[in-house]
Amino acid sequence: EADIYQTPRYLVIGTGKKITLECSQTMGHDKMYWYQQDPGMELHLIHYSYGVNSTEKGDLSSESTVSRIRTEHFPLTLESARPSHTSQYLCASSEQGFTEKLFFGSGTQLSVL
Amino acid sequence: AQSVTQLGSHVSVSEGALVLLRCNYSSSVPPYLFWYVQYPNQGLQLLLKYTSAATLVKGINGFEAEFKKSETSFHLTKPSAHMSDAAEYFCAVSDRRSQGNLIFGKGTKLSVKP
């Protein structure tokens, strides 16, 4: 059912590299999100966007940055990856509102060596 | 600030047995409450949501949850577990003060034994 795609699915990279995690949705949703998920821990909201040219920081401080130039695209960038960035990153989208259903991508598992 | 607490990081039941996954919330304003499920190697999917209408909410795959304000709880139940229910379940809360952004619990992994 979900029309939201994340690439790559897995990424293993060395310390200091710049990386971009891709997220695209075809549902025309205005709102998009990035969550960070570690085993046994809460999903933490790290970035969200209300629409084109809108980006906001979430509850968990993150060294990553995001951009929203097109409605369907919400990439996340780490300028210099570190082992502490190792985690699962989940992208999601929804209609605007307080009770709207979130559609999640399958996630990117990032490992920084 | 809003929060949710899921009691039990791992729950194991036999096939055909009752499933009960516990969630307690904290919110100073009327909350909206959600249960999401994550199957292995997949993204999260919405099971059901409470938005201040009926306190007993029915979701997909035979799951339901009851909002109890006096207990600040929103426990998820299913009368009879199926092997395909094995997954991780996340409770989440949002309200107007969080701009509708969801605050998730730590998740409960459900195992179903044959």
Side-chain angles (χ1 to χ4, degrees), chain B residues 40-93:
Chain B
N41 298 314
Q42 295 185 28
L44 281 73
Q45 304 171 37
L46 180 67
L47 266 181
L48 49 81
K49 63 180 179 181
Y50 166 76
T51 59
S52 75
T55 56
L56 182 62
V57 182
K58 294 188 184 298
I60 61 172
N61 301 336
F63 284 94
E64 61 182 39
E66 186 171 9
F67 173 70
K68 291 187 176 180
K69 185 177 179 181
S70 60
E71 298 177 8
T72 61
S73 69
F74 191 57
H75 302 329
L76 181 71
T77 60
K78 182 174 180 177
S80 176
H82 192 273
M83 296 297 290
S84 60
D85 295 327
E88 190 153 21
Y89 293 79
F90 292 90
C91 184
V93 63

Side-chain angles (χ1 to χ4, degrees), chain A residues 46-58:
Chain A
I46 51 175
H47 300 283
Y48 62 101
S49 166
Y50 289 110
V52 171
N53 294 326
S54 154
T55 61
E56 304 285 343
K57 290 191 179 294

Side-chain angles (χ1 to χ4, degrees), chain A residues 9-10 31 33 35 37 40-43 45 48 50 59 88 90 97-102 104-106, chain B residues 32 34 36 38 41-44 46 49 51 88 90 94-96 99-106:
Chain A
R9 183 71 181 88
Y10 301 96
K31 204 164 178 188
Y33 315 76
Y35 282 88
Q37 181 183 28
M41 302 297 292
E42 301 90 338
L43 277 74
L45 181 66
Y48 62 101
Y50 289 110
D59 305 317
Q88 167 126 275
L90 295 174
F98 298 104
T99 62
E100 298 302 324
K101 172 181 177 180
L102 267 65
F104 281 84
S106 296
Chain B
Y32 305 116
F34 306 78
Y36 279 80
Q38 185 177 31
N41 298 314
Q42 295 185 28
L44 281 73
L46 180 67
K49 63 180 179 181
T51 59
E88 190 153 21
F90 292 90
S94 76
D95 60 38
R96 294 181 182 279
Q99 292 92 49
N101 293 329
L102 294 183
I103 308 298
F104 284 89
K106 292 184 178 182

